Amino acid sequence: MSTAIAQSVHNAAPEAVSVARTRRLTKTYGSVSALRNVDMELRSGELLALLGPNGAGKTTLVRMLLGLANPDCGSVSVFGSDPRDEAMRYRVGAMLQVARVPETLKVREHIDLFSSYYPNPLPMAETLQIAGLDEIKHRRFGELSGGQRQRVLFGISICGNPDLLFLDEPTVGLDVEARRLMWTQIRTLVARGKTVLLTTHYLNEADALADRILVLQHGSIVAEGTPAEIKSRAMGKQVRFNSRLSLDEIRAIPGVLNVAADRQKFELQVQAAEPVVRELLERDSWLSDLEVTSAGLEEAFLALTQNHNHASYGSN
Amino acid sequence: MAATTLPADLTIPQRSFGNLVELFAKEAKYEIVKNVRIPVYAASTIFFPLMFYVLFAIVLGSGNPVTRSESATYMLATLGTFGVMGVSLFGFGVSLAMERGQGWLQVKRASPMPLAAYFTAKVVSAMAFSAVIALALMAIGFAFGNVRLSAVQSAELVGILMLAAIPFGSMGLALGYLAKPNSAPALVNLTYLPMSFCSGLWIPIFLLPHGLQQVARVLPPFHISQLALRAIGMSRDTSSIGSHVQTLVGFTLLFLGIAAFLYRRDEGQLYG
């Protein structure tokens, strides 16, 4: 543990942009390894989506960033300090998955109570307005629909006017309309300069909201990039080969999304391999060491698709 | 649109003492409001001791006004203790087990709420319900049971029953960390009903078999009921007030120790 802390100090990048980071974070529950050597960084003002199927370790990672679970190994820091620090929590809001919320309290009572935990909370009216709770503020939690309940949890997470928000599967179980509404509310917060970490198992949700996506699978980060990069990787193939063609010539081939080159070694991201390979062989008969692989995210996204189907069965 | 604030530039916000007082007060207020609105909790924890009192002390009390007054006075203390034990164990144990197991406590712990505020609120709520039970029992006793207590005796009785929320609350705390949400009500009933009987809360302790009278001495409700009985001049026990108080402090510390141990075991697990 102490070596891990020393290492994180040693590696300290410009502190100005880093709001939260983990170094080689590892957590095991019994024989299940929930997180393996996760290195991630959350930058000020961004919306980072943690994308992955159920059981990928998203919630575990959020819990550790919130100081609700201790790492077995590795380090976590939020605003440069230990996440269990109470003063750190003044600047953090969290929307967690919860099986049951006290049902006899009214919406405004829940917000009033959580607001009192923070030194500089938002005015009640503002919280109610941002979270879309104004019309239901006098209703008891137990009388609310699923979408309204999620909005109350969202209101609880923002009422303290935190700089950093953790939203753990904020739209799970919501219908399309309620999901869109939640997206609008999340965008409002990002526009106000909040830093947001969102977990989701919907690629389209991460695509719609995120500046950056981390794909988590079996407790490891398997991909990182902008939504466009992740989407192309998720759907496409990788083509590797040695060729005498120039970088520009290769870029010009239709269907090539991205090129990485190391002298004559090339690695392409493509939508579909066959037309690109045909074109390559036509242009360079000396092409060698040709290799086509799937982008490596297929397994993750297969699971995502299955979960998606499962969720829509559940909500109908 | 606010500019992005960089962490290094920010001074850490402080919570004033006034904020803290307000926070504890709100937590307690909403705990009470939450419980009052749960019909099962409010009705069963208050209704059962009152119903037993009406049945055993008033309806079944003998025709002789002197003995009826005596038993009605005696049962103020014992059924009062029974009532306080109910509100404390359910309000503390069952609600903690539920809120812990169903993720609500996680949401609170992710916020800057001091954990002490959460527990204090449960004690205050149990005390408020205890006061209601004590006053309602006394009202029935005065009106229908020929009970005559001085103002000091009445105040002492109410005070003791309210303070009893502390040892019973600590017991509830331990049970709340021990139990899973679904098993909590059963566990609490299994603890509290036999314990009430063995401590002489339903049948006066001196009418219980000698063996049971000895068992009662290792049960917290016995010591509370003896303090309550003494306050209204009905105790037949010869132990000193100090020895009852000492035993209760010992029990409270023991239960708090068990709760702290279970809390630590929970730390870092899925359901904190």
Side-chain angles (χ1 to χ4, degrees), chain A residues 16 27 29 44 63 68 79 86-87 89-91 96 98-102 104-106 109 112-114 116-120 140 156 163 191-192, chain B residues 1-2 4-7 10 12-15 23 26-27 30 33-34 37-38 99 102-104 106-114 268-270:
Chain A
K27 181 74 182 177
Y29 288 113
S44 185
R63 289 167 44 84
L68 296 174
F79 293 116
E86 192 180 289
R89 295 213 164 116
Y90 292 156
R91 302 182 58 192
L96 301 176
V98 47
R100 197 155 173 201
V101 172
T104 56
L105 286 184
K106 294 172 183 172
E109 293 170 338
D112 183 35
L113 181 58
F114 273 80
S116 77
Y117 298 156
Y118 293 85
N120 301 309
R140 291 187 187 187
I156 282 173
D163 300 315
R192 286 175 163 230
Chain B
M1 203 177 295
T4 305
T5 335
L6 302 179
L10 268 187
I12 292 168
Q14 293 293 320
R15 184 150 58 197
L23 188 166
K26 275 198 177 157
E27 189 74 38
Y30 287 127
V33 168
K34 180 188 85 181
R37 289 186 193 149
I38 303 174
E99 292 175 359
Q102 295 167 338
W104 182 238
Q106 284 281 311
V107 175
K108 292 204 160 222
R109 287 185 58 198
S111 82
M113 175 198 73
Q269 291 306 306
L270 263 178

Side-chain angles (χ1 to χ4, degrees), chain A residues 101-137:
Chain A
V101 172
E103 294 186 344
T104 56
L105 286 184
K106 294 172 183 172
V107 171
R108 68 168 300 285
E109 293 170 338
H110 274 299
I111 302 291
D112 183 35
L113 181 58
F114 273 80
S115 296
S116 77
Y117 298 156
Y118 293 85
N120 301 309
L122 290 177
M124 166 76 77
E126 203 173 337
T127 302
L128 294 174
Q129 186 250 320
I130 297 172
L133 299 172
D134 220 21
E135 280 167 24
I136 53 168
K137 65 185 173 193

